[in-house]
Amino acid sequence: MLLFNSRSPCLALLATTLAGTQVASAIQLDLSSTQSIKSAASTIAHSMMSYYKGNLTGQTVGLLPQPYYWWEAGAMFDQMIHYWYYTGDTSYNDVVTQGLLAQISPDKDFMPSNQTLTEGNDDQAFWAFAAMSAAELNFPEPSRKDVSWLALAQAVFNEQASRWETTTCGGGLRWQIFSWNKGYEYKNSISNGCFFQLAARLARYTGNQTYADWAIKTWDWMESTPLVTAQYNIYDGVDMRDNCTKPIPLEWTYNIGTFLMGASSLYNYTDGDPTWRRVTEGMLNGTKVFFPASLGGNIMQEVACEPQQSCNYDQPSFKAYLSRWMAVTTQLAPFSKDFIMPKLQASAAGAAKQCSGAPNGGKTCGRTWNTATWDGKVGVGEEMSALSIIQANLISKVPPPVTADKGGTSQGDPLAGTGTSNSQPSDPLLTRSITMGDRAGAGILTTIVLGGLLGSTWWMSFGS
Ligand SMILES: *[C@@H]1O[C@H](CO)[C@@H](O)[C@H](O)[C@H]1NC(C)=O
Ligand SMILES: *[C@@H]1O[C@H](CO)[C@@H](O)[C@H](O)[C@H]1NC(C)=O
Ligand SMILES: *[C@@H]1O[C@H](CO)[C@@H](O)[C@H](O)[C@H]1NC(C)=O
Ligand SMILES: *[C@@H]1O[C@H](CO)[C@@H](O)[C@H](O)[C@H]1NC(C)=O
Ligand SMILES: *[C@@H]1O[C@H](CO)[C@@H](O)[C@H](O)[C@H]1NC(C)=O
Ligand SMILES: *[C@@H]1O[C@H](CO)[C@@H](O)[C@H](O)[C@H]1NC(C)=O
């Protein structure tokens, strides 16, 4: 069963060769020292950004080279906005701004014509998160006067709200935006979780209840499906063709992470509403599966692919998002600190040891934070995850995200994204027949062959 793509043979060979010549060195990390954390973050940020060639002659600004999909560049820029916030290092700010602006498209909604053919709701949302983070952290506004970070996030929200689908399963967003993509019949946790989170963060930032209402509606819909279990585990998705009754029971760090961030944002926005405290606590409980007791209970692991060494190109970056959102949750829902901080600490210590790969002077980051010897894995996702968990340990040293009436400066536009080319790319490409191979961006997840999977007896669960 082709569930996950494996790395290309060349990279695998390279990694194996390099593993054989591993030098005994690693990122030095003393978690009691702000300077040490910043220095480790700086080393890893440099390694990660060395994958980004977008601003070199002949390359496309804003994109990572193949095999990385479009969405991951957006996620990387978000990580770099947080990097600047945590460390004060401004060296990458211009490159980050340039990369983000290059992909906003003429409608300023992160639907660039080169990507729309294969773009999913989740892909678009990861770029919107970068814009949202920029607004919340007061990242310098673009010099282009017709663009603001907040309005970019609002545009994506408005478009996704207009895609809410009520004809099957009582609501929810489809994974895919366009009918020709595989996954159009799939309602999944990441697309709905991203919309939930974006709405919740917009509610908190702007104070506009309409966003909160959408977040509540999205959560209520999630709970009406088998995507959320009684123990608050979040499953991957449901197929509309069987009325969303049979979940694909895979669990990923970024799914629980995106709901945790949304829930803690609503908890904060509502000034401590018990419902959102319950959901935030539930999501914290749901993270436990990713901190296996067998690893001591505090080291994060992507349990659906890491132990099996079956992660595709996307999945090694997922731990970056859970790390990022757990950290911010300690600010928005301070009651979560005692639960979260030991996990950020132990995972960061593990990641630093794993950042001992031979390339880059013995500081290349691998994937498995529970082993002190480099596992031979290399990539943007591995670097991003290590950067995220390590810098997250500075969370108590930085102020919480701002809001419009408490320090926020980004000027929004509640109508952004309405009346845009939301529905169809106006591309001649449309007449081309679409194959799986074309579905470059969409693959945040699993390019699972959904029908086959649902029909089989295969399942996998990591319920705690
Ligand atoms: C790309 O960005 C880096 C980092 O800011 C900079 O040093 C380099 O000059 C830029 N290259 C181009 C071609 O703009
Ligand atoms: C779209 O693709 C073309 C051809 O590869 C490239 O020149 C252009 O910069 C791309 N535009 C964006 C916004 O990515
Ligand atoms: C889904 O629900 C509709 C409406 O209740 C029903 O007509 C249809 O048979 C159901 N399909 C499946 C596969 O259960
Ligand atoms: C909301 O976040 C602020 C900033 O971190 C924090 O001071 C406040 O206690 C939070 N609200 C609640 C209800 O926890
Ligand atoms: C989370 O887990 C704790 C410990 O098992 C339990 O007491 C609590 O009720 C759970 N919270 C929710 C919201 O389920
Ligand atoms: C609140 O957000 C909604 C949805 O985008 C928008 O229609 C409305 O105008 C906003 N209200 C204010 C006061 O900005």
Side-chain angles (χ1 to χ4, degrees), residues 196 434 440:
F196 169 71
I434 311 298

Side-chain angles (χ1 to χ4, degrees), residues 111-132:
M111 297 279 290
S113 61
N114 286 359
Q115 305 299 333
T116 41
L117 195 61
T118 57
E119 190 169 333
N121 283 310
D122 48 358
D123 302 313
Q124 187 190 25
F126 269 85
W127 286 85
F129 286 160
M132 192 70 225

Side-chain angles (χ1 to χ4, degrees), residues 158-179:
N158 284 329
E159 290 184 358
Q160 297 204 347
S162 78
R163 293 178 197 142
W164 188 258
E165 203 286 322
T166 52
T167 63
T168 49
C169 315
L173 282 183
R174 298 170 184 268
W175 176 18
Q176 292 303 316
I177 301 170
F178 300 114
S179 57

Side-chain angles (χ1 to χ4, degrees), residues 409-439:
T409 53
S410 196
Q411 291 303 311
D413 171 7
L415 296 181
T418 55
T420 56
S421 61
N422 180 22
S423 46
Q424 300 281 308
S426 53
D427 239 54
L429 278 176
L430 278 184
T431 53
R432 200 160 57 120
S433 76
I434 311 298
T435 66
M436 256 333 245
D438 288 325
R439 293 198 56 262

Side-chain angles (χ1 to χ4, degrees), residues 211-456:
Y211 298 118
D213 291 343
W214 273 100
I216 293 165
K217 180 171 165 155
T218 308
W219 176 255
D220 287 349
W221 178 77
M222 283 292 296
E223 283 205 312
S224 78
T225 72
L227 289 171
V228 187
T229 71
Q231 287 74 40
Y232 293 100
N233 298 306
I234 305 274
Y235 288 153
D236 188 73
V238 280
D239 197 310
M240 294 161 67
R241 289 165 297 190
D242 63 16
N243 289 337
C244 302
T245 53
K246 295 196 199 84
I248 303 283
L250 281 171
E251 290 184 53
W252 302 103
T253 49
Y254 74 164
N255 279 331
I256 196 81
T258 199
F259 283 102
L260 175 66
M261 179 68 196
S264 60
S265 298
L266 287 175
Y267 172 78
N268 200 266
Y269 166 70
T270 57
D271 203 15
D273 183 298
T275 299
W276 295 110
R277 180 170 175 129
R278 171 184 67 83
V279 180
T280 303
E281 278 177 3
M283 294 302 102
L284 291 172
N285 282 357
T287 66
K288 286 180 192 165
V289 68
F290 303 107
F291 297 90
S294 58
L295 309 183
N298 284 323
I299 297 188
M300 195 189 297
Q301 184 181 59
E302 195 62 69
V303 291
C305 71
E306 203 179 293
Q308 307 82 323
Q309 304 210 37
S310 61
C311 303
N312 66 15
Y313 288 108
D314 294 327
Q315 292 150 359
S317 74
F318 291 179
K319 290 192 291 186
Y321 319 127
L322 179 56
S323 304
R324 188 192 291 166
W325 294 327
M326 282 178 93
V328 184
T329 292
T330 65
Q331 293 180 318
L332 301 182
F335 69 81
S336 66
K337 238 185 248 179
D338 291 348
F339 179 90
I340 290 177
M341 288 316 293
K343 295 181 167 52
L344 299 185
Q345 287 155 4
S347 296
K353 291 189 191 124
Q354 185 53 222
C355 290
S356 54
N360 187 27
K363 293 183 168 51
T364 291
C365 298
R367 192 182 297 164
T368 42
W369 297 344
N370 55 304
T371 51
T373 319
W374 178 48
D375 59 13
K377 304 287 193 279
V378 295
V380 173
E382 284 80 357
E383 300 292 343
M384 200 194 315
S385 293
L387 174 61
S388 185
I389 192 70
I390 287 173
Q391 70 187 15
N393 281 273
L394 292 172
I395 193 67
S396 63
K397 308 274 195 266
V398 293
V402 297
T403 59
D405 61 5
K406 283 204 186 119
T409 53
S410 196
Q411 291 303 311
D413 171 7
L415 296 181
T418 55
T420 56
S421 61
N422 180 22
S423 46
Q424 300 281 308
S426 53
D427 239 54
L429 278 176
L430 278 184
T431 53
R432 200 160 57 120
S433 76
I434 311 298
T435 66
M436 256 333 245
D438 288 325
R439 293 198 56 262
I444 277 209
L445 221 286
T446 52
T447 35
I448 347 181
V449 188
L450 289 164
L453 192 57
L454 285 167
S456 78

Side-chain angles (χ1 to χ4, degrees), residues 52 55-57 91-92 94-95 98:
Y52 176 63
N55 72 338
L56 301 181
T57 313
S91 355
Y92 301 94
D94 290 345
V95 178
Q98 188 193 32

